[in-house]
Amino acid sequence: MAWAVTAGTSLTFPLVVASVQYAPRTLPNALIRSLHLSSSSSASPMSTTTPQQPHSSFEILGGARDKFLPALSHVLSRPYHPFPFLGWNRHIETISASFYRSIPDIRLRRQCLRTQDGGAVALDWVSGDDRRLPPDAPLLILLPGLTGGSGDSYVRHMLNKARSKGWRVVVFNSRGCGDSPVTTPQFYSASFLGDIREVVAHVTGRYPNANVYAVGWSLGANILVRYLGQEGYNCPLSGAVSLCNPFNLVVADEDFHKGFNNVYDKALAKSLRTIFNKHVLLFEDIGGEYNIPMAANAKSVREFDDGLTRVSFGFKSVDEYYSSSSSSDSVKHVQTPLLCIQAANDPIAPARGIPREDIEENPNCLLIVTPKGGHLGWIAGDEAPFGAPWTDPVVMDFIQYLETEEVKYPKTSANPDGKVALHHLEV
């Protein structure tokens, strides 16, 4: 269960409560408008006659650059402007997004899915969508970060954005996260793909006529990319987006214990202890290499992983667990359209861990690196500072473009995955 800070409940400072509907009033509306104007004053005017080139503030690369970039040009042609003050420092941005980003009020309906090993995960669907949407409406699976769930602000905003475009959305709450039940002495981890396989199979089986996509954040992004790589050409997803992915867990673990990052480490360790101690009786007399006292009292994520996670999933050491669970090794095998968005100043998912060469060589992948953003912050764009992160419109433009192409090239007996035509499509 590797480290990865998420917003909302995942960064468990005492004042953050996922079920609360925040209505921040710390900045007057007139001041917010003036700050937006000042931060965007240098943006170049949009041309309506020629394709826009991406602005130099972004790092953009990938084998699918020519394929997918035109669909995102109207956003990427403008410079990335972090919101004044809040977006200038990576730690201020990460913590501000966790504390003060609004949480859209959306009524959800929970479905508990029993897994083959006797465990359980919770799928949260938008209440009423079965009546409101046709059975072939495009479907989006959301994978939150470590200890995150459907109550987190960044998850709710993405859910809200997709829902407003006519998408069916479901949040995949991993074992113990988002109050998902824990029924066996096993949580989830960066290495374990069994649950995501079962969730995708369940969702595609329930809506066989819908194209299914997925968006993952932080640890959820790492799990998603590993799943895409392992499934290869057999992946049933029509597209995916990875946000704030740590990619190389060994590199990220090195940075996680430096300077101010210790604050995140302690906060996440507290979240893990809270989840674990709710279910500690499941681990009574478990024996083996488990160190239950270490996990129950872990002061760092590494201690928790050493006492519990790496043992649960058969690793001899924490370092072996992190090395074997890194999604950086999976990118070369991805055969599904994949957009990766990272922040250059992310304190938890270091930019030096991004597998740039493999992304560049994979014709299905596109990478966008913003100059600022922190970890799950991205306090920029029209809805800053308290609304949706800058990434949400980019994600929607990408998956809606893919959905349009999927409609053009539907699944047929000659093209059962509906993907080959898309992968070789020239835009």
Side-chain angles (χ1 to χ4, degrees), residues 252-279:
D253 180 58
E254 292 173 359
D255 284 12
F256 202 41
H257 310 292
K258 297 177 181 178
F260 192 85
N261 282 6
N262 284 291
V263 173
Y264 308 131
D265 192 11
K266 291 177 181 178
L268 273 173
K270 181 179 178 181
S271 288
L272 291 169
R273 292 198 311 268
T274 299
I275 294 174
F276 176 73
N277 288 325
K278 287 181 181 178
H279 309 286

PDB file of all heavy atoms in Angstrom, residues 252-279:
ATOM      1  N   ALA A 252      10.125   7.973  -5.649  1.00  0.00           N
ATOM      2  CA  ALA A 252       9.187   8.764  -4.873  1.00  0.00           C
ATOM      3  C   ALA A 252       9.357   8.534  -3.376  1.00  0.00           C
ATOM      4  O   ALA A 252       9.232   9.467  -2.572  1.00  0.00           O
ATOM      5  CB  ALA A 252       7.750   8.432  -5.298  1.00  0.00           C
ATOM      6  N   ASP A 253       9.657   7.299  -2.980  1.00  0.00           N
ATOM      7  CA  ASP A 253       9.876   7.012  -1.565  1.00  0.00           C
ATOM      8  C   ASP A 253      11.098   7.763  -1.038  1.00  0.00           C
ATOM      9  O   ASP A 253      11.104   8.223   0.111  1.00  0.00           O
ATOM     10  CB  ASP A 253      10.058   5.507  -1.370  1.00  0.00           C
ATOM     11  CG  ASP A 253      10.285   5.135   0.085  1.00  0.00           C
ATOM     12  OD1 ASP A 253       9.419   5.448   0.917  1.00  0.00           O
ATOM     13  OD2 ASP A 253      11.344   4.548   0.383  1.00  0.00           O
ATOM     14  N   GLU A 254      12.112   7.902  -1.855  1.00  0.00           N
ATOM     15  CA  GLU A 254      13.297   8.659  -1.448  1.00  0.00           C
ATOM     16  C   GLU A 254      12.937  10.099  -1.113  1.00  0.00           C
ATOM     17  O   GLU A 254      13.393  10.647  -0.108  1.00  0.00           O
ATOM     18  CB  GLU A 254      14.343   8.637  -2.575  1.00  0.00           C
ATOM     19  CG  GLU A 254      14.959   7.269  -2.834  1.00  0.00           C
ATOM     20  CD  GLU A 254      15.857   7.278  -4.065  1.00  0.00           C
ATOM     21  OE1 GLU A 254      15.959   8.357  -4.711  1.00  0.00           O
ATOM     22  OE2 GLU A 254      16.443   6.234  -4.381  1.00  0.00           O
ATOM     23  N   ASP A 255      12.108  10.722  -1.958  1.00  0.00           N
ATOM     24  CA  ASP A 255      11.738  12.122  -1.746  1.00  0.00           C
ATOM     25  C   ASP A 255      10.706  12.292  -0.644  1.00  0.00           C
ATOM     26  O   ASP A 255      10.560  13.381  -0.083  1.00  0.00           O
ATOM     27  CB  ASP A 255      11.185  12.716  -3.042  1.00  0.00           C
ATOM     28  CG  ASP A 255      12.282  13.020  -4.052  1.00  0.00           C
ATOM     29  OD1 ASP A 255      13.420  12.554  -3.834  1.00  0.00           O
ATOM     30  OD2 ASP A 255      12.004  13.707  -5.047  1.00  0.00           O
ATOM     31  N   PHE A 256       9.991  11.222  -0.344  1.00  0.00           N
ATOM     32  CA  PHE A 256       8.883  11.316   0.603  1.00  0.00           C
ATOM     33  C   PHE A 256       9.361  11.607   2.023  1.00  0.00           C
ATOM     34  O   PHE A 256       8.588  12.062   2.858  1.00  0.00           O
ATOM     35  CB  PHE A 256       8.096  10.005   0.573  1.00  0.00           C
ATOM     36  CG  PHE A 256       6.683  10.138   1.075  1.00  0.00           C
ATOM     37  CD1 PHE A 256       5.895  11.215   0.746  1.00  0.00           C
ATOM     38  CD2 PHE A 256       6.131   9.151   1.878  1.00  0.00           C
ATOM     39  CE1 PHE A 256       4.594  11.325   1.197  1.00  0.00           C
ATOM     40  CE2 PHE A 256       4.837   9.256   2.342  1.00  0.00           C
ATOM     41  CZ  PHE A 256       4.061  10.337   1.992  1.00  0.00           C
ATOM     42  N   HIS A 257      10.637  11.349   2.277  1.00  0.00           N
ATOM     43  CA  HIS A 257      11.161  11.510   3.640  1.00  0.00           C
ATOM     44  C   HIS A 257      12.070  12.722   3.769  1.00  0.00           C
ATOM     45  O   HIS A 257      12.830  12.826   4.726  1.00  0.00           O
ATOM     46  CB  HIS A 257      11.915  10.241   4.049  1.00  0.00           C
ATOM     47  CG  HIS A 257      11.146   8.985   3.817  1.00  0.00           C
ATOM     48  ND1 HIS A 257      10.017   8.662   4.532  1.00  0.00           N
ATOM     49  CD2 HIS A 257      11.318   7.977   2.925  1.00  0.00           C
ATOM     50  CE1 HIS A 257       9.541   7.510   4.103  1.00  0.00           C
ATOM     51  NE2 HIS A 257      10.302   7.071   3.125  1.00  0.00           N
ATOM     52  N   LYS A 258      11.965  13.642   2.807  1.00  0.00           N
ATOM     53  CA  LYS A 258      12.822  14.819   2.820  1.00  0.00           C
ATOM     54  C   LYS A 258      12.038  16.069   3.223  1.00  0.00           C
ATOM     55  O   LYS A 258      10.969  16.333   2.684  1.00  0.00           O
ATOM     56  CB  LYS A 258      13.438  15.040   1.434  1.00  0.00           C
ATOM     57  CG  LYS A 258      14.353  13.917   0.957  1.00  0.00           C
ATOM     58  CD  LYS A 258      14.861  14.190  -0.454  1.00  0.00           C
ATOM     59  CE  LYS A 258      15.764  13.063  -0.950  1.00  0.00           C
ATOM     60  NZ  LYS A 258      16.219  13.301  -2.345  1.00  0.00           N
ATOM     61  N   GLY A 259      12.599  16.834   4.147  1.00  0.00           N
ATOM     62  CA  GLY A 259      12.066  18.149   4.483  1.00  0.00           C
ATOM     63  C   GLY A 259      10.593  18.155   4.830  1.00  0.00           C
ATOM     64  O   GLY A 259      10.108  17.332   5.621  1.00  0.00           O
ATOM     65  N   PHE A 260       9.854  19.072   4.207  1.00  0.00           N
ATOM     66  CA  PHE A 260       8.437  19.256   4.524  1.00  0.00           C
ATOM     67  C   PHE A 260       7.595  18.044   4.158  1.00  0.00           C
ATOM     68  O   PHE A 260       6.491  17.858   4.677  1.00  0.00           O
ATOM     69  CB  PHE A 260       7.905  20.503   3.797  1.00  0.00           C
ATOM     70  CG  PHE A 260       6.555  20.945   4.276  1.00  0.00           C
ATOM     71  CD1 PHE A 260       6.429  21.762   5.382  1.00  0.00           C
ATOM     72  CD2 PHE A 260       5.397  20.527   3.624  1.00  0.00           C
ATOM     73  CE1 PHE A 260       5.173  22.170   5.827  1.00  0.00           C
ATOM     74  CE2 PHE A 260       4.150  20.929   4.067  1.00  0.00           C
ATOM     75  CZ  PHE A 260       4.040  21.751   5.179  1.00  0.00           C
ATOM     76  N   ASN A 261       8.102  17.194   3.256  1.00  0.00           N
ATOM     77  CA  ASN A 261       7.343  16.000   2.865  1.00  0.00           C
ATOM     78  C   ASN A 261       7.039  15.088   4.045  1.00  0.00           C
ATOM     79  O   ASN A 261       6.110  14.273   3.987  1.00  0.00           O
ATOM     80  CB  ASN A 261       8.102  15.214   1.802  1.00  0.00           C
ATOM     81  CG  ASN A 261       7.971  15.839   0.427  1.00  0.00           C
ATOM     82  OD1 ASN A 261       7.406  16.916   0.273  1.00  0.00           O
ATOM     83  ND2 ASN A 261       8.528  15.179  -0.576  1.00  0.00           N
ATOM     84  N   ASN A 262       7.812  15.208   5.122  1.00  0.00           N
ATOM     85  CA  ASN A 262       7.521  14.418   6.313  1.00  0.00           C
ATOM     86  C   ASN A 262       6.135  14.713   6.873  1.00  0.00           C
ATOM     87  O   ASN A 262       5.530  13.849   7.521  1.00  0.00           O
ATOM     88  CB  ASN A 262       8.588  14.684   7.384  1.00  0.00           C
ATOM     89  CG  ASN A 262       9.895  13.970   7.081  1.00  0.00           C
ATOM     90  OD1 ASN A 262       9.983  12.759   7.151  1.00  0.00           O
ATOM     91  ND2 ASN A 262      10.919  14.743   6.735  1.00  0.00           N
ATOM     92  N   VAL A 263       5.636  15.909   6.625  1.00  0.00           N
ATOM     93  CA  VAL A 263       4.276  16.258   7.071  1.00  0.00           C
ATOM     94  C   VAL A 263       3.254  15.364   6.368  1.00  0.00           C
ATOM     95  O   VAL A 263       2.324  14.826   6.996  1.00  0.00           O
ATOM     96  CB  VAL A 263       3.974  17.738   6.792  1.00  0.00           C
ATOM     97  CG1 VAL A 263       2.516  18.072   7.088  1.00  0.00           C
ATOM     98  CG2 VAL A 263       4.904  18.627   7.626  1.00  0.00           C
ATOM     99  N   TYR A 264       3.422  15.189   5.060  1.00  0.00           N
ATOM    100  CA  TYR A 264       2.513  14.322   4.314  1.00  0.00           C
ATOM    101  C   TYR A 264       2.649  12.867   4.762  1.00  0.00           C
ATOM    102  O   TYR A 264       1.654  12.141   4.867  1.00  0.00           O
ATOM    103  CB  TYR A 264       2.797  14.411   2.810  1.00  0.00           C
ATOM    104  CG  TYR A 264       2.820  15.799   2.251  1.00  0.00           C
ATOM    105  CD1 TYR A 264       3.865  16.227   1.437  1.00  0.00           C
ATOM    106  CD2 TYR A 264       1.804  16.708   2.531  1.00  0.00           C
ATOM    107  CE1 TYR A 264       3.892  17.500   0.910  1.00  0.00           C
ATOM    108  CE2 TYR A 264       1.825  17.978   2.011  1.00  0.00           C
ATOM    109  CZ  TYR A 264       2.874  18.376   1.200  1.00  0.00           C
ATOM    110  OH  TYR A 264       2.898  19.643   0.688  1.00  0.00           O
ATOM    111  N   ASP A 265       3.869  12.456   4.996  1.00  0.00           N
ATOM    112  CA  ASP A 265       4.133  11.081   5.416  1.00  0.00           C
ATOM    113  C   ASP A 265       3.399  10.772   6.719  1.00  0.00           C
ATOM    114  O   ASP A 265       2.720   9.740   6.855  1.00  0.00           O
ATOM    115  CB  ASP A 265       5.632  10.884   5.584  1.00  0.00           C
ATOM    116  CG  ASP A 265       6.028   9.423   5.729  1.00  0.00           C
ATOM    117  OD1 ASP A 265       5.180   8.542   5.489  1.00  0.00           O
ATOM    118  OD2 ASP A 265       7.184   9.157   6.072  1.00  0.00           O
ATOM    119  N   LYS A 266       3.504  11.671   7.690  1.00  0.00           N
ATOM    120  CA  LYS A 266       2.844  11.461   8.980  1.00  0.00           C
ATOM    121  C   LYS A 266       1.331  11.494   8.842  1.00  0.00           C
ATOM    122  O   LYS A 266       0.611  10.714   9.496  1.00  0.00           O
ATOM    123  CB  LYS A 266       3.319  12.506   9.983  1.00  0.00           C
ATOM    124  CG  LYS A 266       4.776  12.340  10.395  1.00  0.00           C
ATOM    125  CD  LYS A 266       5.223  13.446  11.342  1.00  0.00           C
ATOM    126  CE  LYS A 266       6.694  13.272  11.722  1.00  0.00           C
ATOM    127  NZ  LYS A 266       7.167  14.363  12.616  1.00  0.00           N
ATOM    128  N   ALA A 267       0.831  12.406   8.013  1.00  0.00           N
ATOM    129  CA  ALA A 267      -0.617  12.511   7.818  1.00  0.00           C
ATOM    130  C   ALA A 267      -1.185  11.244   7.183  1.00  0.00           C
ATOM    131  O   ALA A 267      -2.234  10.734   7.609  1.00  0.00           O
ATOM    132  CB  ALA A 267      -0.943  13.734   6.962  1.00  0.00           C
ATOM    133  N   LEU A 268      -0.490  10.732   6.179  1.00  0.00           N
ATOM    134  CA  LEU A 268      -0.962   9.510   5.526  1.00  0.00           C
ATOM    135  C   LEU A 268      -0.828   8.303   6.429  1.00  0.00           C
ATOM    136  O   LEU A 268      -1.682   7.409   6.426  1.00  0.00           O
ATOM    137  CB  LEU A 268      -0.203   9.288   4.222  1.00  0.00           C
ATOM    138  CG  LEU A 268      -0.805   9.984   3.003  1.00  0.00           C
ATOM    139  CD1 LEU A 268       0.109   9.838   1.808  1.00  0.00           C
ATOM    140  CD2 LEU A 268      -2.171   9.412   2.691  1.00  0.00           C
ATOM    141  N   ALA A 269       0.251   8.252   7.206  1.00  0.00           N
ATOM    142  CA  ALA A 269       0.410   7.147   8.154  1.00  0.00           C
ATOM    143  C   ALA A 269      -0.742   7.146   9.156  1.00  0.00           C
ATOM    144  O   ALA A 269      -1.257   6.073   9.523  1.00  0.00           O
ATOM    145  CB  ALA A 269       1.749   7.269   8.882  1.00  0.00           C
ATOM    146  N   LYS A 270      -1.161   8.322   9.575  1.00  0.00           N
ATOM    147  CA  LYS A 270      -2.299   8.405  10.495  1.00  0.00           C
ATOM    148  C   LYS A 270      -3.564   7.880   9.834  1.00  0.00           C
ATOM    149  O   LYS A 270      -4.362   7.161  10.458  1.00  0.00           O
ATOM    150  CB  LYS A 270      -2.496   9.844  10.951  1.00  0.00           C
ATOM    151  CG  LYS A 270      -3.640  10.016  11.928  1.00  0.00           C
ATOM    152  CD  LYS A 270      -3.789  11.464  12.364  1.00  0.00           C
ATOM    153  CE  LYS A 270      -4.971  11.621  13.319  1.00  0.00           C
ATOM    154  NZ  LYS A 270      -5.152  13.052  13.731  1.00  0.00           N
ATOM    155  N   SER A 271      -3.779   8.228   8.563  1.00  0.00           N
ATOM    156  CA  SER A 271      -4.951   7.718   7.837  1.00  0.00           C
ATOM    157  C   SER A 271      -4.923   6.204   7.743  1.00  0.00           C
ATOM    158  O   SER A 271      -5.943   5.528   7.928  1.00  0.00           O
ATOM    159  CB  SER A 271      -5.006   8.319   6.431  1.00  0.00           C
ATOM    160  OG  SER A 271      -5.370   9.661   6.461  1.00  0.00           O
ATOM    161  N   LEU A 272      -3.752   5.656   7.430  1.00  0.00           N
ATOM    162  CA  LEU A 272      -3.622   4.204   7.324  1.00  0.00           C
ATOM    163  C   LEU A 272      -3.864   3.526   8.663  1.00  0.00           C
ATOM    164  O   LEU A 272      -4.538   2.484   8.734  1.00  0.00           O
ATOM    165  CB  LEU A 272      -2.237   3.848   6.786  1.00  0.00           C
ATOM    166  CG  LEU A 272      -1.970   4.214   5.322  1.00  0.00           C
ATOM    167  CD1 LEU A 272      -0.487   4.060   4.988  1.00  0.00           C
ATOM    168  CD2 LEU A 272      -2.811   3.344   4.391  1.00  0.00           C
ATOM    169  N   ARG A 273      -3.320   4.109   9.732  1.00  0.00           N
ATOM    170  CA  ARG A 273      -3.545   3.537  11.071  1.00  0.00           C
ATOM    171  C   ARG A 273      -5.023   3.551  11.421  1.00  0.00           C
ATOM    172  O   ARG A 273      -5.545   2.578  11.996  1.00  0.00           O
ATOM    173  CB  ARG A 273      -2.774   4.340  12.129  1.00  0.00           C
ATOM    174  CG  ARG A 273      -1.282   4.227  12.064  1.00  0.00           C
ATOM    175  CD  ARG A 273      -0.637   4.676  13.382  1.00  0.00           C
ATOM    176  NE  ARG A 273      -1.144   5.968  13.856  1.00  0.00           N
ATOM    177  CZ  ARG A 273      -0.592   7.136  13.567  1.00  0.00           C
ATOM    178  NH1 ARG A 273       0.473   7.192  12.771  1.00  0.00           N
ATOM    179  NH2 ARG A 273      -1.086   8.256  14.071  1.00  0.00           N
ATOM    180  N   THR A 274      -5.700   4.626  11.074  1.00  0.00           N
ATOM    181  CA  THR A 274      -7.128   4.736  11.391  1.00  0.00           C
ATOM    182  C   THR A 274      -7.923   3.637  10.705  1.00  0.00           C
ATOM    183  O   THR A 274      -8.768   2.969  11.317  1.00  0.00           O
ATOM    184  CB  THR A 274      -7.658   6.117  10.976  1.00  0.00           C
ATOM    185  OG1 THR A 274      -6.951   7.136  11.704  1.00  0.00           O
ATOM    186  CG2 THR A 274      -9.145   6.237  11.266  1.00  0.00           C
ATOM    187  N   ILE A 275      -7.653   3.435   9.408  1.00  0.00           N
ATOM    188  CA  ILE A 275      -8.351   2.379   8.668  1.00  0.00           C
ATOM    189  C   ILE A 275      -8.008   1.009   9.241  1.00  0.00           C
ATOM    190  O   ILE A 275      -8.887   0.162   9.473  1.00  0.00           O
ATOM    191  CB  ILE A 275      -7.995   2.443   7.173  1.00  0.00           C
ATOM    192  CG1 ILE A 275      -8.539   3.727   6.545  1.00  0.00           C
ATOM    193  CG2 ILE A 275      -8.551   1.224   6.434  1.00  0.00           C
ATOM    194  CD1 ILE A 275      -8.093   3.930   5.104  1.00  0.00           C
ATOM    195  N   PHE A 276      -6.718   0.784   9.485  1.00  0.00           N
ATOM    196  CA  PHE A 276      -6.279  -0.517   9.977  1.00  0.00           C
ATOM    197  C   PHE A 276      -6.873  -0.828  11.345  1.00  0.00           C
ATOM    198  O   PHE A 276      -7.370  -1.944  11.585  1.00  0.00           O
ATOM    199  CB  PHE A 276      -4.750  -0.558  10.059  1.00  0.00           C
ATOM    200  CG  PHE A 276      -4.219  -1.824  10.653  1.00  0.00           C
ATOM    201  CD1 PHE A 276      -4.245  -3.010   9.934  1.00  0.00           C
ATOM    202  CD2 PHE A 276      -3.710  -1.847  11.942  1.00  0.00           C
ATOM    203  CE1 PHE A 276      -3.765  -4.188  10.486  1.00  0.00           C
ATOM    204  CE2 PHE A 276      -3.222  -3.016  12.503  1.00  0.00           C
ATOM    205  CZ  PHE A 276      -3.253  -4.194  11.771  1.00  0.00           C
ATOM    206  N   ASN A 277      -6.850   0.125  12.256  1.00  0.00           N
ATOM    207  CA  ASN A 277      -7.307  -0.131  13.626  1.00  0.00           C
ATOM    208  C   ASN A 277      -8.810  -0.384  13.712  1.00  0.00           C
ATOM    209  O   ASN A 277      -9.279  -0.976  14.676  1.00  0.00           O
ATOM    210  CB  ASN A 277      -6.890   1.013  14.546  1.00  0.00           C
ATOM    211  CG  ASN A 277      -5.392   1.002  14.817  1.00  0.00           C
ATOM    212  OD1 ASN A 277      -4.780  -0.055  14.914  1.00  0.00           O
ATOM    213  ND2 ASN A 277      -4.785   2.182  14.917  1.00  0.00           N
ATOM    214  N   LYS A 278      -9.557   0.052  12.697  1.00  0.00           N
ATOM    215  CA  LYS A 278     -10.986  -0.275  12.647  1.00  0.00           C
ATOM    216  C   LYS A 278     -11.194  -1.769  12.399  1.00  0.00           C
ATOM    217  O   LYS A 278     -12.241  -2.327  12.742  1.00  0.00           O
ATOM    218  CB  LYS A 278     -11.678   0.512  11.522  1.00  0.00           C
ATOM    219  CG  LYS A 278     -11.885   1.980  11.786  1.00  0.00           C
ATOM    220  CD  LYS A 278     -12.601   2.619  10.603  1.00  0.00           C
ATOM    221  CE  LYS A 278     -12.817   4.115  10.802  1.00  0.00           C
ATOM    222  NZ  LYS A 278     -13.465   4.726   9.618  1.00  0.00           N
ATOM    223  N   HIS A 279     -10.207  -2.398  11.796  1.00  0.00           N
ATOM    224  CA  HIS A 279     -10.354  -3.792  11.368  1.00  0.00           C
ATOM    225  C   HIS A 279      -9.263  -4.684  11.945  1.00  0.00           C
ATOM    226  O   HIS A 279      -9.004  -5.768  11.424  1.00  0.00           O
ATOM    227  CB  HIS A 279     -10.324  -3.859   9.837  1.00  0.00           C
ATOM    228  CG  HIS A 279     -11.262  -2.910   9.163  1.00  0.00           C
ATOM    229  ND1 HIS A 279     -12.627  -3.109   9.126  1.00  0.00           N
ATOM    230  CD2 HIS A 279     -11.032  -1.736   8.536  1.00  0.00           C
ATOM    231  CE1 HIS A 279     -13.200  -2.100   8.479  1.00  0.00           C
ATOM    232  NE2 HIS A 279     -12.259  -1.255   8.112  1.00  0.00           N
TER     233      HIS A 279
END
